[in-house]
Every structure is written in C-alpha cells, then in structure tokens.
Amino acid sequence: MSKAVKSKTDARTRRGLGSIIRSEFSLIIGLLTAGIFLWAGSGLVENIEHPGAMGVVFLWLFIAVLWSAISVVRHADYLAIKCGEPYGTLILTLSAITIEVMMISAAMLHGKNNPTLARDMMFAVIMIALNGLIGLSLVLGGLRHREQHYNLQGVNSYLNTIMALGVLGMVLPNFTTSMSGPRLSTMQEVFLAITSIGLYAIFLLIQTTRHSEYFMESKGATHASEHHAGPMHSTVYHA
C-alpha cells in the first residue's frame, strides 16, 4: 500500500514539475538568451553581415523579449488577483513600467548620445497605449461582451494624472526659452522631477487610501479570476 501511495506521489510530483517547466519555459529562454549575448558581447551582432542572419538574430531577440514580457505580466496579473483591488492595478502598473524603464535605459546606454531619446520613446508609448491599445480593447470588448462596465471616476483620475505628467514632461520643453531646442535647464528639470513625483504620490494616496473605491470593479463587472484558466500558485512563486 505504501509503495502504491509513494508511486502516486512521485507521479504527481513529476507532473507538477513538468507543468512548472512548461509554464515557465519563457524564463529559461530569456536566461539562455541573456547568457549568450552576455558571453558573446556585441560581436554577435557586429560580425553578422548577411541580412538573413541579422534578421534571424533580430527575430530571436524580439521573440525572447516579447515572450518574457508577457510572462512577467502574467505573473503580475496573478498577483493582482491575489492582492485584490486597488493594489492589483498598482502591481500591474509597476510591472509594465519596470519593463519600459529597462528597455529605455538599455537603448540609452548602448545607443548614440541623444538627450531627447527617453522623451520621444515615452511619447510613443503614450500614443500607442492611449490610442492603440485602449481603442483596440474597447472594440474587442464591445464585440465580445456587447456591453462593458467601467468605473468612470477611476478612469478620470488616471487620465488626469497622465495628461498632467505628459504635458509637463513632453509638451512643456517645446515652449521653454532657457535652452536651445526642446530642452529644459537644470532648475527646470529639478522642478519637473519634483512635480512629477508629487503628482504620482498624490495619485497613489487617492488610489490606495481615501478614494480606493474609485479603482474597484464596478457593479456588474465580471470578476478577473474567471478569465484565468491556468494554475495559481503562492504569492512568493509569482513574485
């Protein structure tokens, strides 16, 4: 009897390990890709002259980065479900922002000296997110659910904060006269940094304390966990 129980336990353990490996295969691919490029350095890209080989390397990096980013968001989504609102939304936001900051930092460190690169990239991100992704989500959600539920007060809080930060960081430099071109002086950059941190701090206070109900699911909305078919593990595992 004990042997049968032990064999069943071993079988469940093997199935569990196999399921974890399959679900976290993107992590393995990402680590292997990072290790190969750290070992080979920039020579792996610089020494490739054939356009086809360069296309293969680009496709490899694109798939590895995209797959890893989707995996990060998946774990953040599970953490968001476990923590509940409004902290779940905050976790998803921080995970997405972390990925963006890492990619922008990598481009700035390895590219040419371009002081406006970060601002231009953030401008592109805001345009893609607000116009493309939100619009596509509204269209697809309308086609699937016919009618969707929103918390309008929370949406207004998000949009007001994004518009204020966007104007201060990406529009205001075009109208300043202290520096040539769309640039800010040192004092203006300090003012921008303090103002941005203050605005986001106030937004976090609104989101997590006094007006946290603005960021809860509205009545009639489907619970987020119903859309997840994959297994949910412990908080430490997803973190």
Side-chain angles (χ1 to χ4, degrees):
M1 184 68 179
S2 59
K3 291 183 178 180
V5 172
K6 184 178 180 181
S7 62
K8 291 181 180 179
T9 303
D10 293 340
R12 284 197 297 268
T13 302
R14 287 193 296 269
R15 287 197 298 269
L17 289 175
S19 176
I20 291 175
I21 292 174
R22 286 192 299 271
S23 62
E24 303 302 332
F25 192 68
S26 59
L27 175 62
I28 300 174
I29 297 298
L31 291 176
L32 287 176
T33 301
I36 290 172
F37 277 86
L38 283 175
W39 172 73
S42 59
L44 185 62
V45 178
E46 293 176 353
N47 296 331
I48 296 178
E49 299 180 356
H50 195 277
M54 182 63 72
V56 171
V57 173
F58 171 78
L59 186 63
W60 172 19
L61 289 175
F62 179 79
I63 292 175
V65 171
L66 183 62
W67 198 1
S68 300
I70 292 174
S71 179
V72 170
V73 174
R74 174 172 58 86
H75 283 288
D77 201 10
Y78 281 122
L79 285 176
I81 295 173
K82 293 177 72 69
C83 296
E85 296 293 347
Y87 301 103
T89 303
L90 183 60
I91 292 173
L92 288 172
T93 303
L94 291 177
S95 64
I97 292 298
T98 301
I99 295 173
E100 293 174 7
V101 170
M102 291 175 63
M103 296 181 67
I104 293 174
S105 301
M108 293 179 65
L109 291 174
H110 295 86
K112 295 181 179 180
N113 185 17
N114 185 359
T116 63
L117 177 63
R119 188 177 73 232
D120 294 340
M121 293 182 70
M122 288 308 302
F123 214 128
V125 168
I126 290 178
M127 291 176 62
I128 293 172
L130 294 183
N131 297 324
L133 295 180
I134 292 181
L136 184 63
S137 300
L138 292 174
V139 172
L140 294 179
L143 292 175
R144 178 177 176 83
H145 303 289
R146 304 300 180 187
E147 183 178 356
Q148 300 180 89
H149 300 271
Y150 304 97
N151 194 326
L152 187 58
Q153 292 171 315
V155 172
N156 288 335
S157 300
Y158 273 113
L159 290 179
N160 289 333
T161 305
I162 292 173
M163 286 190 294
L165 293 175
V167 170
L168 286 173
M170 292 176 287
V171 178
L172 184 62
N174 294 317
F175 297 94
T176 57
T177 58
S178 57
M179 300 288 290
S180 60
R183 294 187 299 167
L184 299 176
S185 64
T186 303
M187 291 302 299
Q188 290 171 341
E189 290 177 347
V190 172
F191 169 77
L192 175 61
I194 295 175
T195 305
S196 300
I197 294 173
L199 279 173
Y200 193 64
I202 294 172
F203 174 77
L204 287 181
L205 288 175
I206 294 174
Q207 183 182 15
T208 57
T209 55
R210 186 169 183 176
H211 298 291
S212 59
E213 68 275 5
Y214 290 176
F215 305 91
M216 303 291 186
E217 290 183 346
S218 60
K219 294 181 179 180
T222 304
H223 197 271
S225 61
E226 297 178 2
H227 299 286
H228 291 269
M232 185 179 296
H233 301 281
S234 65
T235 302
V236 176
Y237 175 86
H238 291 295

